[in-house]
Amino acid sequence: MSKQLRKKRIALPLILTGTLLLSACAANSQPMDHQGHDMGNMSQAPQQATEPKTMSAAIDSAMEVLTGNTFTLTAKESMLHLDDNTMKTAWTYNGTVPGPQLRVKQGETVKILLQNQLPEPVTIHWHGLPVPNNMDGIPGVTQNAVKPGESFTYQFKVDVPGTYWYHSHQNGVVQVDKGLYGSLVVEPKEQQSVDKDFTLVVDEWLKDDSMAGMSHGGGHAGMSMSTTTSDHSSMMNSNSSEMPMSDAEMMPLMYTIFSANGKTGSAITPLMIKQGEKVRIRLINAGFQSHRLYLQGHEYKIVSTDGQPINNPPLVSGQLLNIAPGERYNIEFVANNPGSWLLEERSSNPGAASLTVPIVYEGYESTKPKAEKGDLPLIDMTKYGEAAKSDFSLDDSYDIEYTMDLNTEMKSGEMTFTINGKTYPDTPPLQVKKGDLVKVKLVNKSPKDLHPMHLHGHFFQVLSKNGQPVSGSPLVKDTLNLLPGEEFVVAFIADNPGEWMFHCHDLGHAAQGMMSEVKYEGFQRDFVVDPTVNNKPE
């Protein structure tokens, strides 16, 4: 990967701040007015799966949906048309961003052939889905990355229904950012029927691709040490409590194009519904920023998070649903308010105005929905839904108790993101035995940076937030977002032997150190690391 293509989050020199602000203002002052196209429209036709493509009657999706239990995903380069005036050179699975949705049945064994037609090694990680360790797609940890021109077959049983997604975990900060992701739905044995079932994968893109070499890398090798030290000294003086421009502040100024299913602004394909229908929307955040979403004109229920059900979810209106990187939420509503509405982002980010998804009733196609303004409260998921019996509590006895202090630090003149003061691979792993009950305290000590922490191979239950026990539905997740100063306690059972990543899903933070592992006693890898592959698990 050339230095120009290494993206995201090497701390940007303060001297660029004025340029970024001007760019963001210019982007805001020129609203887009483009015609919409099919969400899957690319310059190259998608690679077909090895079985016929079918779509169930309840699914209404502009992306390609593949069903069955045998699939082929080909990693290759394609042109992404975000709108009529914005094209990006993307890395894709089967030629589209997102890649095809894989829709499978609970209890089936699935087989996915990954073919690599890109110039770099790639993998597929099945985000949130519990799979055997050797199928988790982590280069140098669970497998060797798949070299250009080669292939790898993933095979596993899908036992847990829900909404998941897949993406490359090889140099993910670059490859996911370039489009290597797609959605995965495991349908339950007992279907909960809806009339329409949409999936929206949200993401962000650079307005100016010339900034790609500045924004991240694994990346400090892209600068001389003297430049790096100077730049980072201006960003965050280790002897000062002030950070002139944090990572959290910088990235929204650079990534000012927000997308849903590979389209932005008025190019986003409307979700077409009919009065009286029950509608499900599966929300997946494949980007590196959080998105505060507002559904106009309707009350809705949050029926699941990260694929796991919410107990007795109440109706929501007039509030924002925050979806952090890596998270998934399923919402459902009854189409009882005919018209033309938006599912829109309501944040101060420069790209927010470009994330507006029309929800249009039959007969109202000519009506243009309008964005709304004003501050609205965020839904607190630790108080949402109804309490019920759960697997873990704060009063339980645990075999392992572990604290993960998350921080933004300067080390040798470089900005790093640390766990317990260390950066990967020097972060101390969480050592467990099969059957252990594990309690983890997560504390975000970063002054301004958010950390969506993702555990591979397991679900955890959120027990408390800032010292207060969860009072709503049992909250079971695989990705948990921590704002600066927040503290969460989570618990899980060590029931899936292997070596599992536990990392920030702001992949820029992961690439700059915020990764750890859960390691099972006595586990042995079934592959030998190939030093010629250049495995990059971050």
Side-chain angles (χ1 to χ4, degrees), residues 235-308:
M235 290 296 297
M236 181 169 66
N237 189 320
S238 59
N239 296 319
S240 170
S241 62
E242 294 186 2
M243 183 189 301
M245 193 175 194
S246 73
D247 185 75
E249 295 166 322
M250 174 182 71
M251 299 313 295
L253 299 180
M254 300 182 66
Y255 284 77
T256 58
I257 301 174
F258 292 176
S259 66
N261 292 358
K263 294 293 182 181
T264 188
S266 58
I268 297 174
T269 300
L271 309 184
M272 302 302 301
I273 61 178
K274 297 178 183 179
Q275 186 172 0
E277 288 184 327
K278 185 177 182 181
V279 181
R280 175 186 297 139
I281 302 177
R282 303 173 186 268
L283 300 165
I284 301 171
N285 188 349
F288 301 103
Q289 299 180 43
S290 293
H291 297 279
R292 298 182 172 192
L293 301 179
Y294 174 66
L295 176 62
Q296 296 180 356
H298 299 81
E299 294 180 315
Y300 65 91
K301 294 180 179 180
I302 305 167
V303 297
S304 68
T305 175
D306 292 356
Q308 305 311 296

Side-chain angles (χ1 to χ4, degrees), residues 463-504:
L463 301 180
S464 69
K465 175 184 178 181
N466 299 331
Q468 298 299 312
V470 169
S471 59
S473 167
L475 189 58
V476 179
K477 295 177 63 61
D478 57 68
T479 306
L480 179 64
N481 192 41
L482 285 85
L483 301 180
E486 285 188 333
E487 173 189 299
F488 285 86
V489 175
V490 305
F492 67 94
I493 183 169
D495 59 359
N496 193 2
E499 295 179 69
W500 300 100
M501 309 310 295
F502 199 168
H503 67 95
C504 183

Side-chain angles (χ1 to χ4, degrees), residues 129-152:
L129 187 66
V131 298
N133 190 244
N134 61 357
M135 295 288 108
D136 199 42
I138 312 304
V141 179
T142 69
Q143 70 172 100
N144 290 303
V146 181
K147 292 180 179 180
E150 296 186 0
S151 63
F152 183 89

Side-chain angles (χ1 to χ4, degrees), residues 163 194 196-201 271 273 278-284 293 295 301 303-304 321 328-333 343 357-359:
T163 302
V194 293
K196 293 289 175 62
D197 191 339
F198 300 100
T199 298
L200 294 173
V201 187
L271 309 184
I273 61 178
K278 185 177 182 181
V279 181
R280 175 186 297 139
I281 302 177
R282 303 173 186 268
L283 300 165
I284 301 171
L293 301 179
L295 176 62
K301 294 180 179 180
V303 297
S304 68
L321 175 58
R328 290 91 62 213
Y329 288 97
N330 285 10
I331 66 173
E332 292 181 1
F333 65 93
L343 176 64
V357 182
I359 299 176

Side-chain angles (χ1 to χ4, degrees), residues 17 38 76 108 126 192 334 375 388 419 459 473 486-487:
T17 305
D38 188 291
K76 61 182 178 180
E108 288 194 340
W126 313 98
Q192 299 170 328
V334 175
D375 292 332
I419 298 176
F459 295 102
S473 167
E486 285 188 333
E487 173 189 299

Side-chain angles (χ1 to χ4, degrees), residues 172-215:
V173 65
V174 172
Q175 295 192 358
V176 176
D177 205 20
K178 290 171 72 68
L180 270 177
Y181 57 79
S183 59
L184 171 65
V185 173
V186 180
E187 296 180 336
K189 292 178 180 177
E190 296 182 6
Q191 285 279 17
Q192 299 170 328
S193 62
V194 293
D195 299 296
K196 293 289 175 62
D197 191 339
F198 300 100
T199 298
L200 294 173
V201 187
V202 299
D203 196 4
E204 314 92 31
W205 304 84
L206 285 167
K207 180 74 172 179
D208 181 359
D209 287 336
S210 68
M211 292 183 181
M214 306 172 185
S215 51

